Amino acid sequence: MKQLRQRWPGLVLAAAMLGVAPGAFHQVLAAPQQSADNLVPRQRILFNDGWRFQLGDPDGNSAPYLYDIRPEVKKSADGKEADAMPEEAVRVARANTPLLRAWILPTGNAFIKDPSKRYTRPAQPPAVEAPYARLDFNDSAWRSVQLPHDWAIEGPFLTTGPYGGMGRLKTWGPAWYRKKLTLPAGDKGKSIFLDVDGAMSYASVWVNGQLAGGWPYGYNSFRINLTPYVKPGADNQIAIRLDNPAESARWYPGAGLYRNVWLTKTEPVHVGQWGVHVSTPKVSRESAQVAWQVTLDNDGSAAAEVDVTTQLYALDEQGRTTGNAVATVASPRTSVAAGASATLSGDATLANPRLWGPLPTQKPNRYTAVTTVRQGSRVVDRYTTPFGIRTIRWDGETGLSVNGEKIKIQGVNNHHDLGSLGAAFNVRAAERQLEILQEMGANAVRMSHNPPDPQLLELTDRMGMLVVDEVFDSWERKKTPLDFHLTFPDWHEQDLRAMLRRDRNHPSIVMWSVGNEVGEQYGGEAGAAIGKRLVQITREEDSSRPATNAMNWAKADMPLPAAMDVISLNYQGSGIRTLPGQFPAFHEKFPDKAILHTESASALSSRGEYQFPVPGVTSAAVRPGAGGDPKTQQVSAYELFAADFGSSADRSFASLDQNPYTAGEFVWTGWDYIGEPTPYYGARSSYSGIIDLAGFRKDRYYIYQSRWRPELPMVHILPHWTWPDRVGEVTPVHVFTSGDEAELFVNGKSQGRLKKAPYAYRLRWDYVVYEPGEISVVAYKDGKEWARSSVKTAGDAAALQASADRSAIDGDGRDLSFVSVRIVDKDGILSPRAKNRVRFTVEGTGELVSTDNGDPTSFESFQSPERAAFNGMVLAIIRAKPGADGAITVRASAEGLRGAVATIQARKQR
């Protein structure tokens, strides 16, 4: 239950308010909420189980189901430089082609501000039979799946041709999902909604054979009103068709219904979708003004008189309400016209508020607003909205301040896939990513380059991490032939307002980003006009945070930067290729605007792969024989090498320190991700992560930790010291430490004591001659011993060692344990070059979900129970079976090596 509270605090709050015991939580999801004196009919039911899935359209004919005409793709853009200029869109004609666009566009009407620009649904249904959408269609031969579901992650990998940019996994083509919905007769008169947290992409939702609506953008959450199409007291059929295009992304987009789906039932008068907006206009340590707006929808046929009361409660660390309400405010009675909406406002002042702030110097305290709607004496809705009280300030000289404390952003960019799990969102997998990043010293995440799963923002709220929430990777100009520039003209307002309304109550979000490296940087005033429009929308929806757009090309004297509240530079701060760093130019032009390195470094490496000779440079592009090996498609782990447009961590640190007014950095990237495998597009996954795809730390992790956690006594040595083919050869040794100097020893012999030079972030002994044995280092700070570390030469591989990241998990079919296996010699020393094949077997109440090793060139199926280790390490991901209660035994075996066992306890939900 502890994990449940951590992951879904809003749902647990609802259970707590009802006085429901923890073990009955799943029943709460399927039963009406009750207050002490009234039945509350709002139900939010997790709608993830019991789906049927099938690839392809009936008879292989997709023409009747097309949302729009797509341009013909004549040449793949795979392997194009990530900083290449986006191109003008290709315009296509729609003449006399039957399309579903006209029926789907009205789904977004609630997010179009100007009523005159909203879309009218055609009076006649589209001329398509859609047999897969009918109630009487026999789908028994279809595959049974549970959501979230990413069908593409199963592969197989595409070993030839293009699509390295998309991870060499086929994500495109039509796919259908079907699920029966049986509504009790008592639901007659209620409003029934399907809430989809994310579907990749061009979703069309069909109910009992009728097209109810849809949403093209694969990253947005959206709602479909099922009320006109469903029949209470009978079986109903939900069918969702997805049609993700090829050539639609620069990274792995995933496929399928890859986030949660919910069924929401309300009375006709209810709080609208994301209908409560909480703000904190005045905050001090002594008091805080909390203000809110509540939007009510009346889906009924008659006007309604309603009374709305809002109560504020403090939440504990697990998201549970604590104590009595700290404020109760009743709004004036309001009339809501039939078929219309009304917005009510309220506010309260809290004494000595518990402020939300980022770890480690502040605490992520939270509150919740409980909105109760009554018609007469009857409660018709109750809606909970978690929020935080805090101040943020962006300044041209001091960067970001939270609650008056200057916070240097120590952030990373992350794409949305979860490694071998693919794009199917899993709370524990995301939580693990954040935990490992926080251990490194990261305090911020930029959502690259799309709205995240809403549960990820619940995690950042609870864990005290700052967020830049981003909506688009492209505007009207294209980066890949079939990316979302195709829908931007019709959908940019709906997509942006939907993200803003869904996410604006999250205190972890400190800035909105309306774009990333968009082609409109090159478009002068016309491009800037689009940027101004998007920034204006953010201000209309949320005036408490600034808006930005990450730029990798626009210069200070161009019109687009002037349209942004914060200057966000990708790589330009440190300098791209031979161009000088742009921080000073932007600071001079915009002295009052904060400047942020929204993408820094883009350093590249393969964990545990060290290539020789090692150049005596601080930062260099990957080249054959100088940081990269085209034959193995591996990049040296000396952490000196980067993409052509990027730089090493060292160079990025120096550019920030030489320009102290900068607000900090978001490193590209925190974790490796599927796709975009610069510089080797024959691989499956990126090289830019500080942490590899399996979650194993690269050496680069420790240079960031040495900088971001200066109070932590630590020292890290690279490379490993098992080089039987290098005896007597120069083998440079580098050290990352939070100390200021260190002394290196080889088999007890000092190699000298070095002190960090100005704007240097590593210590390097470049002329060490390899001899087997042990290298050790003693780090010092302010002249006193600070930390020690050593690395020994490994003998022959002899055994496996297994360790689970958690020894107990929830038996809910969703919670995960990550089991790491190391190949070691007889003394337990890691065999750093071992490639032995390791096989996993699972006994008891669990099952194997996937395996990985962090090797970007591996094309073994992620679902395979057997996998070659990569430089001595391999990972298995385990989950408990639904309803499990008991031991899970994970066995790892390899030919000729002593096996290993990890035991995990599955806890049945009570």
Side-chain angles (χ1 to χ4, degrees):
M1 189 62 186
K2 178 181 179 182
Q3 293 296 324
L4 191 62
R5 288 173 180 134
Q6 289 174 341
R7 293 168 194 178
W8 294 286
L11 297 180
V12 175
L13 170 63
M17 290 179 60
L18 305 180
V20 177
F25 183 78
H26 288 293
Q27 282 72 40
V28 173
L29 294 178
Q33 298 181 20
Q34 295 182 20
S35 66
D37 55 346
N38 290 288
L39 184 69
V40 182
R42 173 179 289 263
Q43 296 175 256
R44 191 169 190 246
I45 304 167
L46 196 59
F47 204 57
N48 283 351
D49 296 335
W51 288 86
R52 294 282 185 170
F53 165 74
Q54 174 74 28
L55 287 174
D57 283 316
D59 301 321
N61 181 17
S62 297
Y65 306 98
L66 293 178
Y67 169 82
D68 206 349
I69 301 296
R70 295 171 182 163
E72 180 183 0
V73 180
K74 297 182 179 179
K75 184 178 179 181
S76 170
D78 200 26
K80 185 168 67 174
E81 287 283 2
D83 63 335
M85 180 175 69
E87 302 167 357
E88 292 287 350
V90 175
R91 303 302 175 189
V92 295
R94 300 189 180 102
N96 300 319
T97 302
L99 300 167
L100 302 184
R101 180 171 169 270
W103 285 267
I104 290 175
L105 278 167
T107 305
N109 276 347
F111 303 98
I112 299 175
K113 184 179 180 181
D114 184 349
S116 68
K117 295 182 179 180
R118 294 174 184 162
Y119 297 94
T120 301
R121 183 181 173 93
Q124 297 298 319
V128 52
E129 291 294 327
Y132 288 176
R134 293 200 302 258
L135 179 63
D136 60 0
F137 177 79
N138 183 1
D139 60 15
S140 60
W142 288 23
R143 181 177 171 185
S144 178
V145 298
Q146 181 187 56
L147 309 184
H149 178 239
D150 176 4
W151 58 261
I153 197 63
E154 298 178 10
F157 285 100
L158 306 173
T159 57
T160 60
Y163 304 113
M166 294 173 71
R168 300 201 163 276
L169 288 165
K170 186 179 183 296
T171 60
W172 53 90
W176 286 80
Y177 291 81
R178 285 170 49 90
K179 179 177 167 67
K180 287 284 194 307
L181 169 62
T182 302
L183 296 174
D187 283 345
K188 186 175 182 180
K190 291 186 178 180
S191 295
I192 313 292
F193 304 100
L194 191 73
D195 291 326
V196 181
D197 284 348
M200 190 61 66
S201 60
Y202 288 91
S204 56
V205 179
W206 305 73
V207 184
N208 294 331
Q210 301 180 71
L211 179 60
W215 202 283
Y217 193 30
Y219 296 103
N220 257 103
S221 301
F222 62 92
R223 165 171 283 186
I224 301 295
N225 186 0
L226 304 182
T227 315
Y229 308 99
V230 293
K231 300 174 182 177
D235 287 342
N236 298 273
Q237 183 64 56
I238 307 295
I240 301 177
R241 180 185 185 270
L242 306 176
D243 190 11
N244 199 42
E247 305 280 4
S248 63
R250 298 184 295 128
W251 57 85
Y252 176 72
L257 291 175
Y258 69 105
R259 295 178 183 169
N260 285 336
V261 174
W262 303 86
L263 186 71
T264 301
K265 303 180 184 180
T266 69
E267 289 292 286
V269 179
H270 57 269
V271 176
Q273 184 186 18
W274 307 314
V276 177
H277 178 202
V278 181
S279 60
T280 54
K282 296 179 181 179
V283 176
S284 70
R285 298 285 176 182
E286 293 73 33
S287 68
Q289 180 190 12
V290 180
W292 55 86
Q293 290 184 318
V294 178
T295 298
L296 300 176
D297 292 343
N298 182 0
D299 297 338
S301 58
E305 298 289 324
V306 297
D307 297 296
V308 177
T309 301
T310 298
Q311 295 176 293
L312 306 183
Y313 293 87
L315 298 179
D316 65 12
E317 293 181 357
Q318 285 73 44
R320 299 169 300 196
T321 55
T322 59
N324 298 321
V326 296
T328 300
V329 177
S331 299
R333 179 166 293 182
T334 301
S335 179
V336 188
S341 300
T343 299
L344 311 177
S345 299
D347 67 274
T349 299
L350 305 186
N352 303 313
R354 300 162 61 254
L355 302 183
W356 186 97
L359 296 173
T361 58
Q362 300 184 42
K363 291 185 177 181
N365 298 308
R366 289 177 296 159
Y367 291 82
T368 192
V370 179
T371 302
T372 303
V373 183
R374 289 181 172 85
Q375 283 184 268
S377 61
R378 188 168 69 97
V379 173
V380 294
D381 201 5
R382 181 166 284 133
Y383 190 93
T384 61
T385 308
F387 68 96
I389 299 173
R390 50 102 176 103
T391 64
I392 57 172
R393 182 174 182 266
W394 293 85
D395 181 84
E397 291 296 332
T398 59
L400 172 65
S401 295
V402 181
N403 299 323
E405 178 190 359
K406 179 180 177 180
I407 303 292
K408 200 74 169 180
I409 291 177
Q410 299 172 172
V412 301
N413 290 272
N414 265 2
H415 272 308
H416 77 137
D417 75 74
L418 294 169
S420 61
L421 299 174
F425 190 80
N426 179 275
V427 175
R428 173 55 198 161
E431 181 182 52
R432 171 179 177 252
Q433 287 194 342
L434 297 180
E435 287 172 347
I436 295 174
L437 291 169
Q438 285 187 314
E439 182 187 339
M440 183 177 68
N443 63 9
V445 181
R446 175 174 173 241
M447 304 298 176
S448 310
H449 303 289
N450 46 260
D453 189 291
Q455 295 170 104
L456 182 53
L457 295 173
E458 293 173 11
L459 287 171
T460 56
D461 286 349
R462 176 173 61 79
M463 298 174 70
M465 295 193 77
L466 305 174
V467 169
V468 171
D469 205 1
E470 191 159 75
V471 63
F472 299 123
D473 186 52
S474 58
W475 294 348
E476 291 186 351
R477 291 194 177 192
K478 65 180 180 179
K479 294 181 179 178
T480 60
L482 301 178
D483 64 27
F484 289 103
H485 78 280
L486 296 174
T487 61
F488 183 88
D490 284 344
W491 283 90
H492 66 273
E493 181 180 4
Q494 301 94 303
D495 284 324
L496 179 52
R497 289 192 195 274
M499 182 192 81
L500 294 167
R501 291 182 194 175
R502 189 195 73 172
D503 295 350
R504 59 191 176 184
N505 293 313
H506 288 282
S508 55
I509 298 172
V510 293
M511 185 162 61
W512 306 111
S513 176
V514 297
N516 173 69
E517 298 180 356
V518 296
E520 284 71 12
Q521 292 176 102
Y522 304 80
E525 292 292 349
I530 296 176
K532 290 176 183 177
R533 166 67 175 146
L534 297 175
V535 170
Q536 180 59 36
I537 290 173
T538 68
R539 291 172 180 162
E540 291 170 358
E541 297 291 338
D542 173 39
S543 61
S544 70
R545 301 172 178 91
T548 194
N549 163 57
M551 299 172 290
N552 66 325
W553 187 84
K555 302 303 181 286
D557 59 352
M558 295 179 178
L560 184 58
M564 301 295 125
D565 299 324
V566 170
I567 302 299
S568 293
L569 303 181
N570 289 2
Y571 311 109
Q572 289 197 81
S574 300
I576 293 179
R577 294 186 171 88
T578 60
L579 297 176
Q582 295 294 303
F583 284 143
F586 276 94
H587 187 52
E588 180 178 0
K589 177 70 173 180
F590 303 104
D592 297 329
K593 290 188 179 184
I595 299 178
L596 182 61
H597 222 182
T598 32
E599 288 182 27
S600 65
S602 197
L604 308 175
S605 63
S606 305
R607 176 185 50 78
E609 292 283 317
Y610 304 96
Q611 299 176 17
F612 304 95
V614 179
V617 299
T618 301
S619 181
V622 175
R623 291 293 182 269
D629 185 341
K631 292 182 179 179
T632 63
Q633 297 189 92
Q634 303 293 359
V635 179
S636 178
Y638 268 94
E639 308 299 4
L640 295 169
F641 305 99
D644 284 13
F645 53 84
S647 64
S648 66
D650 312 59
R651 182 179 167 192
S652 293
F653 293 163
S655 69
L656 291 166
D657 288 347
Q658 290 162 2
N659 300 278
Y661 48 82
T662 52
E665 66 178 323
F666 287 94
V667 182
W668 192 266
T669 54
W671 285 59
D672 276 338
Y673 54 96
I674 304 174
E676 205 172 22
T678 304
Y680 300 123
Y681 272 72
R684 67 168 195 196
S685 53
S686 77
Y687 300 78
S688 59
I690 299 170
I691 302 157
D692 75 17
L693 199 70
F696 300 136
R697 297 157 178 82
K698 301 181 184 179
D699 291 286
R700 202 179 333 144
Y701 183 94
Y702 299 98
I703 194 171
Y704 283 100
Q705 189 179 67
S706 71
R707 175 176 173 86
W708 287 353
R709 297 187 65 184
E711 79 295 341
L712 176 69
M714 59 79 62
V715 61
H716 176 78
I717 305 171
L718 64 102
H720 63 74
W721 208 240
T722 304
W723 301 103
D725 53 346
R726 296 192 61 80
V727 175
E729 295 189 27
V730 172
T731 305
V733 176
H734 293 193
V735 166
F736 304 143
T737 179
S738 53
D740 48 41
E741 58 183 316
E743 185 172 9
L744 179 71
F745 300 87
V746 177
N747 292 327
K749 301 173 187 176
S750 176
Q751 306 297 301
R753 181 163 165 168
L754 301 180
K755 189 177 182 68
K756 288 180 182 176
Y759 304 118
Y761 305 92
R762 70 175 73 199
L763 298 169
R764 51 195 295 172
W765 289 261
D766 283 331
Y767 301 100
V768 175
V769 175
Y770 175 75
E771 57 183 62
E774 179 181 21
I775 53 174
S776 58
V777 65
V778 180
Y780 299 87
K781 192 165 190 174
D782 299 327
K784 298 179 181 179
E785 184 174 325
W786 180 246
R788 289 175 175 257
S789 185
S790 65
V791 178
K792 295 180 180 180
T793 301
D796 293 337
L800 305 179
Q801 287 181 348
S803 61
D805 70 328
R806 293 184 306 151
S807 59
I809 60 176
D810 292 337
D812 59 3
R814 299 181 180 88
D815 200 7
L816 302 174
S817 181
F818 293 78
V819 178
S820 300
V821 171
R822 293 159 45 94
I823 299 176
V824 299
D825 70 3
K826 63 182 178 59
D827 297 317
I829 300 171
L830 177 72
S831 297
R833 302 168 82 177
K835 302 289 197 294
N836 305 64
R837 294 193 66 79
V838 178
R839 183 167 187 83
F840 293 95
T841 56
V842 181
E843 303 167 1
T845 61
E847 57 190 359
L848 179 71
V849 181
S850 64
T851 61
D852 196 10
N853 59 9
D855 179 1
T857 69
S858 173
F859 284 179
E860 289 190 78
S861 167
F862 286 128
Q863 290 74 45
S864 172
E866 182 177 313
R867 177 174 300 276
F870 181 57
N871 293 329
M873 302 183 74
V874 65
L875 177 80
I877 303 178
I878 309 298
R879 69 181 167 214
K881 298 173 183 177
D885 187 10
I888 303 170
T889 302
V890 183
R891 301 186 186 276
S893 60
E895 185 176 352
L897 304 181
R898 187 172 67 251
V901 176
T903 301
I904 306 157
Q905 189 69 27
R907 303 168 298 203
K908 187 174 182 179
Q909 297 298 296
R910 293 178 169 84

